[in-house]
Each structure stands twice: as structure tokens, then as C-alpha cells.
Amino acid sequence: MVTYIEIYGKQLVKLFNELEFATKSLDFVCILVYTLILITGVTVGVLVIVWLERKVSAGVQQRVGPEYAGPLGIIQSLADGIKLLLKEDVIPSKGDAWLFTVGPAAAVIPVLISYLVIPFNQSIILSDLAIGVFFWVAVSSITPLGLLIAGYSSNNKYSFLGGLRAAAQSISYEIPLALCILSASLLSGSLSTVDIVETQSKYGFMGWNLWRQPIGFIASFISSLAECERLPFDLPEAEEELVAGYQTEYSGIKFGLSYVGSHSNLSASSPFVTILYLGGWDSSIPFLENLGQDSYFPEYSSKYFHVLMSGLGIITTLSKCYLFIFFSILTRWTLPRVRVDQLLDLGWKFLLPIASGNLLPTASFQLLLLN
């Protein structure tokens, strides 16, 4: 009798272990699927941003822009990507081949990792970390290291100078950006991106941090442009001064990865500005709150209402993001490029004191509320 019990016990233990392994395997497959969907979405978003920048720039300059590759030229970016994939990959004879390959990858991979903490809706997020916003700051600060590696490994003084400019620019604007993020987080009492949006959505449109932190919003907007190396802060790759900067010796898809990193960084910065200051997925439409309860089909209304609100949240978030991108593109054709000394002065002498001065009253006010 004892022997049968032991046999059945061992079989049950084996069955439970197999079920646990199957559960872990299923979780692993789900993570891979979600990651693949995210990378695909980011890639498509980059193609859309490139097309949008070309069309908006053409409109500003009163020209047509891309129009032959697909309707309105919508697949022009895809055609350029295929062309870069087919081009020859040339490595400088006296450069470091291994670092030359790692540089573009180190500039793109951290940007893709930062999408882990971006919520497009309350439940549409890969990882709701308790330190989500600082995770983005920490990960995005790795990108200039990839640019510096790319410039150094090329064995070209112009490329190395472009990499050094990228590092100096990043250090100058990472600190004010982090202080602005901390100010917005203090108002929400959390570093989670989901909690920051939910705190703003409690009070509707007037509860957005844009109205409570206008100085921080302006400083974050400027720092985000410098972080993404957008005009007027594109000194690391200023064609007129540096012969394309750190990517001078690159060709083929490695040359394209530097632009992919720049545009994907812009597409990552715009959701964070939206989350921190523009209410994220909050659309502030009052009648939608009771739409599900007022339906004539209550047994189906809750499910359909949840799907409706999820879709509305995604559309709202993307609309705010692309509004930020639109203004970033307009800024490119409005302001002239600054000199490197002006760029550093703006970061250290103006934005850093402004961000610090914005943080101190915010922290003091929050302490008064707690007491």
C-alpha cells in the first residue's frame, strides 16, 4: 500500500513539474510575441516619422516631397531601407572592426529597450516598473556611448569629433531632463509611468502637468530635442561642419541604423513627454465615462466598452505623440543651428538652473502637503 502511494506521489510531483515547465514555456513564448509586436510597431513608427518629416518639410519649403513610391510616397522610407540593406558594408582598413559593428547597435538597442515602460493605455504596457521614468533616463543615456564608439572605431578624426560632441551634448541635457522628470514624478508621488498618467487623469484636462509644470514642460521639450539630436541641436552629425560626423565612414545598413536610432529616440521621447505632461491616454471626454453604464445591453456593454476605451486610449496617446513630433519637425525649419559653445551654455547655464529652480519649489510644496 505504501509503495503505491509513493509511486502515485512521485507521478503527481512529476506532473506538477511538467505543468510548471509548460507554464513557464508559455510565459516565455508570450514575452517573445509581445516583444516582436513591439519591435514591429516601433519599426513601422520610424518609417511613418521619416515619411512625415519629409512631407512636412516639403510643405514648409513649398515643394512636393516623396510621391512616386506608393500613394503620396508612403513606402519611400521602406524603399530606402531596402536600398541600404543591399548596399556593400565597408569597414575602414585601420579601424576596429568589432567596435565598428557594435557602435550602431549600441545606439539603437537601448532606445528599443526604453519602450518596455511606455504605456499606451492603462493595461497596454510590457512592464509597469516602479521606477519606469528613471529606467528610461538610465537606458537612454547609453545611446551616446554607442555614438562615441562609432566615432572612435572609424579611425577618422572628423568621426571622433562627432562622437565627442554627442557625448558632451548628452551630458549637458541629460541632467536637466532628469530634474524635470523628477519634478513631474513628485506631483504624482510615483516613478511609475502608469501612476503618473492616472494621477493626472483624476482631474481631467486641467489636471495635466502641462499646467502645473509649464517651466518643466518647456525645459523637457528643449532637452528632448537635444537628446534626439534634432535641429537646432544636431551638432554630432552636422553635415556642413563635420562631414556627417560620427557616421562618416559607415555605409549600408550600419549607416541607416544611426538614423533609425535617432528617429526611434524621437518616437520614444514623444510618448514620455505625453505621459509626463499631457495626460498620456487621458482624453478628458466626460460623456464616455458613463457610456458603458447607459447601454441597453448591459451584459455585453462592459466588454465592448473596455475594448472601446482601450482603442480610444491608444489613439489619444499616439495623437499627442505625433503632435509633439510635428512641432519637432517645424522647429527644424524654424530655428538655425547653434554653435557648440552656445549648446553647452544653454544646457549648463540656463536649463540646469531652471530645472533645479523648478524642482525645489515642487519638492517644498509636496512636503507642505504631506505635513
Side-chain angles (χ1 to χ4, degrees), residues 98-104 106 144-154 163 250:
W98 188 79
L99 290 180
F100 192 79
T101 304
V102 169
L145 181 61
L147 305 182
L148 184 60
I149 291 174
Y152 172 77
S153 61
S154 299
Y250 281 91

Side-chain angles (χ1 to χ4, degrees), residues 261-274:
S262 176
H263 286 89
S264 60
N265 201 359
L266 178 62
S267 64
S269 299
S270 55
F272 273 100
V273 173
T274 300

Side-chain angles (χ1 to χ4, degrees), residues 2 36 46 67 144 147 164 170 209 223 239 275 318 328 342 361:
V2 177
L36 181 61
V46 169
E67 62 174 348
L147 305 182
L164 290 176
S170 175
N209 289 335
S223 299
E239 296 88 350
I275 291 165
L318 292 178
S328 301
Q342 294 173 334

